[in-house]
Amino acid sequence: MESRTLETITINNSLEIVRLNGNVKFKAPLGYTLPCGYCFKHPEKGYFAFAGDIVPYIPRGGKKALLSIMESGGFLDFDNSVWLQPLN
C-alpha cells in the first residue's frame, strides 16, 4: 500500500473546494477558457489539474466527488499533476 509523504499530506490539507462560474480565465491554445464546476484550489500553488490538461480538474460527480477524495485522505501524490494559474 502506498503512503503519502509529509509534503503530500500538507498539500492535501491545504486544498479548498471552490466553484468556478465561468468567471475565471485559464490560458488555452487559441486564447482562454472559462470553465464551470467544482475544483480544488491551493492557496499558494493554484488550481489542481492533471498533467496535460488546460483547465482545473472538474469531476463529473461535482462537489460530492471532490469531498469523497478529501474524505479518503486526499491524493496519494502529485506526480502527474500541475497547478494552473488564472489569467488576470
Side-chain angles (χ1 to χ4, degrees):
M1 181 172 164
E2 293 186 50
S3 61
R4 293 169 181 85
T5 65
L6 181 58
E7 179 183 15
T8 299
I9 292 168
T10 302
I11 294 171
N12 279 321
N13 288 340
S14 297
L15 291 177
E16 301 172 60
I17 297 174
V18 297
R19 184 174 184 187
L20 299 178
N21 293 315
N23 57 350
V24 180
K25 295 180 184 179
F26 293 92
K27 185 177 179 174
L30 300 176
Y32 62 87
T33 183
L34 296 163
C36 294
Y38 288 96
C39 64
F40 286 123
K41 181 181 180 186
H42 188 277
E44 296 169 6
K45 296 180 177 290
Y47 293 85
F48 173 83
F50 288 104
D53 289 348
I54 61 169
V55 295
Y57 171 61
I58 299 174
R60 288 184 184 213
K63 188 175 185 178
K64 186 175 180 181
L66 297 174
L67 286 169
S68 177
I69 291 170
M70 296 310 295
E71 288 169 1
S72 67
F75 295 96
L76 291 175
D77 61 58
F78 293 94
D79 295 345
N80 294 314
S81 64
V82 293
W83 299 98
L84 302 177
Q85 300 300 320
L87 298 174
N88 293 332

